[in-house]
Amino acid sequence: MVENEAIVNFIISPYFVYFSVTCNPDTTFPMVLEQYKVDQLTAFKNRDKFSDQAWNNRGLYPPAPEISLKLTTLFNSCADRLIDAVQKNSSEEAIESVLQSQLSNFNQLDYDTEEKEFICELFFELSQILNIDFADHAMTWLYGSEIASSMREQVEMNPPTVLDTLHQTCPSCGTALDTFILRKQEGIPDFSWNIIQCKNCKDYSIVSFGPNVMEVRPDNYIFVEQLPKSEYTKEQAENRLEQLRDLRK
C-alpha cells in the first residue's frame, strides 16, 4: 500500500454492503465516462429493484405492495435527478449533495431494519456508479449520528487483524492485487462478482470473496462495480469486464 493513500475497508453483511473509508483529501480516483454513468443509472432505474424475488434473495418476505411501489418511485426519482446532474457535468460535490438530498426523502420511521438496510445498499450501488464516497451519510441515516460516529472511531482505534489474504495479480502489469480478509461471519453468502481496477496500470480484474466474508481491505486496487451473482453468471461478469476495458480505449 502506498503511504498516505485512502484506506478503504469493504464491509459486508448478508443484506447490506458499504465502504468504511478514511480518505486523504489529495487521493484521486479515475473518472468514469459520463455516458457510462448515465447508462448505469438508467439500467438501475429500469431494473425491478423491489420484486418479490429481490426480497427473497435477501432472505426476506416481500412487504406490502405499496411499500415496494413507494420505494421504487423514490429510487427512480433519485436516478432521474442523478442522470440530470451527470448530464450537466455537475461537480462531485454537487452530485454528492443530490444523493444526500434524495436519501433524506426516505423517512426512517416508515421502514423496518431490513428495509432500511436494503435502501442503504441501493444508495451504495448508486454511489459506486458515480465514484462518490457516501458511506458516512448512509451510516448516519441508518444508525444515527452518534452510533455512526462511534463505529468510525472504533474502526480507526482498533483496526481488525488480517485473518486471510486472497492473492491475485494484475493481468496487464503483474502488480499484486491482494484482498485482506478482516472479519468473517457465518451465513454471509458469496453474492457478488467485484470488478476492480489496478492502481498501477488502471486495468480491470474480477475478484470474488467467497462465503462468510464480512470485511475486506483491498491493496493496490480500487472497487469499480459490484455485480450480484443472482443476476450475473461468471461469463456475464467477464463480458462486463471487457466492456469496461473497451471504454478506456
Side-chain angles (χ1 to χ4, degrees):
M1 176 175 282
V2 179
E3 187 178 359
N4 293 329
E5 282 190 339
I7 299 174
V8 183
N9 294 346
F10 193 59
I11 314 294
I12 306 166
S13 79
Y15 313 120
F16 175 47
V17 187
Y18 61 91
F19 277 118
S20 172
V21 187
T22 305
C23 284
N24 181 318
D26 295 328
T27 302
T28 59
F29 295 88
M31 295 299 294
V32 181
L33 293 177
E34 175 185 308
Q35 189 57 50
Y36 162 73
K37 293 181 181 180
V38 171
D39 289 346
Q40 290 296 298
L41 291 169
T42 301
F44 176 90
K45 177 183 176 181
N46 293 336
R47 190 174 83 225
D48 191 356
K49 297 173 283 296
F50 300 100
S51 65
D52 287 355
Q53 186 61 50
W55 291 102
N56 291 334
N57 287 344
R58 302 172 66 82
L60 302 173
Y61 291 109
E66 55 267 25
I67 293 178
S68 291
L69 178 60
K70 180 180 180 180
L71 289 168
T72 297
T73 300
L74 286 170
F75 270 106
N76 288 352
S77 176
C78 177
D80 285 336
R81 301 295 186 277
L82 292 170
I83 289 171
D84 183 61
V86 171
Q87 291 177 331
K88 290 179 178 177
N89 198 28
S90 300
S91 67
E92 181 176 312
E93 291 77 14
I95 293 175
E96 182 178 349
S97 179
V98 172
L99 273 174
Q100 192 171 358
S101 67
Q102 291 301 305
L103 180 58
S104 69
N105 290 333
F106 294 77
N107 186 343
Q108 296 98 317
L109 299 178
D110 291 343
Y111 309 101
D112 63 24
T113 300
E114 289 81 9
E115 290 163 355
K116 287 190 288 188
E117 289 174 346
F118 199 174
I119 289 167
C120 284
E121 181 176 323
L122 292 177
F123 269 96
F124 167 81
E125 180 180 345
L126 290 170
S127 70
Q128 283 294 94
I129 292 172
L130 299 161
N131 281 345
I132 298 291
D133 171 21
F134 200 65
D136 280 352
H137 297 304
M139 290 175 65
T140 299
W141 182 87
L142 180 61
Y143 299 115
S145 58
E146 290 187 8
I147 294 178
S149 177
S150 176
M151 291 173 65
R152 286 190 293 271
E153 290 175 1
Q154 287 298 317
V155 170
E156 293 171 3
M157 294 173 58
N158 303 292
T161 303
V162 175
L163 302 178
D164 198 2
T165 304
L166 303 178
H167 300 284
Q168 66 184 74
T169 58
C170 175
S172 292
C173 69
T175 296
L177 307 177
D178 289 335
T179 303
F180 303 121
I181 298 176
L182 305 181
R183 281 194 289 171
K184 291 187 175 184
Q185 179 175 303
E186 289 293 328
I188 297 177
D190 180 14
F191 59 85
S192 66
W193 307 105
N194 303 285
I195 296 182
I196 62 176
Q197 186 177 46
C198 174
K199 290 183 177 180
N200 183 43
C201 71
K202 310 305 181 186
D203 193 15
Y204 297 99
S205 303
I206 293 179
V207 63
S208 178
F209 302 139
N212 304 322
V213 175
M214 185 176 185
E215 181 178 358
V216 303
R217 175 174 295 165
D219 192 39
N220 295 326
Y221 70 82
I222 63 170
F223 290 97
V224 174
E225 192 169 342
Q226 185 184 51
L227 306 176
K229 289 189 174 181
S230 60
E231 301 175 21
Y232 290 82
T233 64
K234 184 177 182 180
E235 182 179 359
Q236 289 171 324
E238 290 172 345
N239 289 339
R240 177 62 188 148
L241 175 69
E242 294 304 318
Q243 289 175 351
L244 290 176
R245 284 176 171 158
D246 288 342
L247 283 173
R248 292 186 61 239
K249 295 180 180 178

